[in-house]
Amino acid sequence: MELLAPVGNKSMLTAAVQAGADAIYFGVKGLNMRSAANNFSIEELPKIINYCHDHNVKAYCTLNIIIFEQELPLLATTLQTLKEAKIDAVICWDLAVINKCEELGLEVHLSTQASVSNSEAAKLWKELGVTRIVLARECSLKDIEDIKDKSGLEIECFVHGARCISLSGRCFMSHEVFNRSANRGE
């Protein structure tokens, strides 16, 4: 079992590491679901990852938004920087991100945004190179056990957190009511 903690800034990073997290996950400005968090710049990535590795903590980067065509160059630069800094895994669900991770030899953890809730879907993602899946939040303990047994994948689950109108990772209410896309981290 791995205790994975989110970090949105340097003080949260230090606190999570000092509190004993086995791993942390963080976002890069403009490419993750928590746009309101301070997040980190591309230039900060090597320092964050080195700090984690110096303290025997794994570092995962979330690139878990919908990627638009004009963002592909930023995505490529970000992933190359993460590779050079020796990121432990990228948490994503957009197929462009997964494809680029595979090209670069980066480990992929599938975001809850993919809404995986059964073993057949998990097996398809595994064929695409995914090594861990963050299951849909609707999954019961029995579902989690069955999906793990049948897929052979590492499974990650939220033990607390936000629930959107759809309950799963994809949120539509904020877009409808406030014209802000939760699927873009707004």
Side-chain angles (χ1 to χ4, degrees):
M1 186 175 299
E2 178 180 81
L3 178 59
L4 174 61
V7 299
N9 58 45
K10 290 177 188 173
S11 65
M12 291 172 73
L13 172 64
T14 303
V17 169
Q18 290 178 354
D22 299 307
I24 58 96
Y25 68 94
F26 60 90
V28 176
K29 290 180 182 179
L31 292 175
N32 76 94
M33 292 296 294
R34 290 185 170 91
S35 65
N38 290 339
N39 293 304
F40 297 99
S41 68
I42 292 174
E43 296 75 25
E44 293 175 289
L45 298 178
K47 289 180 184 175
I48 296 161
I49 296 165
N50 285 336
Y51 176 78
C52 289
H53 291 170
D54 287 347
H55 291 86
N56 297 313
V57 172
K58 291 183 179 179
Y60 306 138
C61 182
T62 57
L63 300 176
N64 56 352
I65 61 167
I66 297 168
I67 302 292
F68 291 115
E69 189 67 25
Q70 67 273 15
E71 294 169 321
L72 290 173
L74 175 60
L75 173 66
T77 299
T78 302
L79 288 171
Q80 185 61 45
T81 302
L82 289 167
K83 178 180 177 60
E84 290 168 7
K86 298 184 177 21
I87 192 73
D88 292 293
V90 174
I91 302 170
C92 60
W93 68 277
D94 188 289
L95 289 170
V97 182
I98 293 170
N99 186 55
K100 190 68 174 169
C101 284
E102 184 169 313
E103 287 175 13
L104 293 170
L106 295 171
E107 185 169 336
V108 173
H109 294 180
L110 191 69
S111 171
T112 191
Q113 293 302 109
S115 302
V116 173
S117 58
N118 64 71
S119 62
E120 291 300 314
K123 287 187 242 180
L124 285 172
W125 286 108
K126 184 177 181 179
E127 289 178 22
L128 292 174
V130 170
T131 60
R132 178 188 292 182
I133 292 183
V134 185
L135 290 177
R137 293 174 184 162
E138 299 90 342
C139 291
S140 68
L141 289 174
K142 177 72 171 127
D143 293 334
I144 294 166
E145 182 181 346
D146 288 346
I147 294 167
K148 180 173 178 18
D149 290 344
K150 292 176 182 175
S151 72
L153 283 163
E154 285 185 28
I155 299 296
E156 182 178 320
C157 301
F158 278 88
V159 294
H160 70 84
R163 288 197 167 209
C164 305
I165 187 153
S166 65
L167 290 181
S168 199
R170 298 212 183 141
C171 308
F172 301 102
M173 182 60 92
S174 61
H175 183 64
E176 180 66 29
V177 175
F178 303 109
N179 199 29
R180 296 181 64 170
S181 176
N183 297 311
R184 293 284 298 169
E186 297 174 342

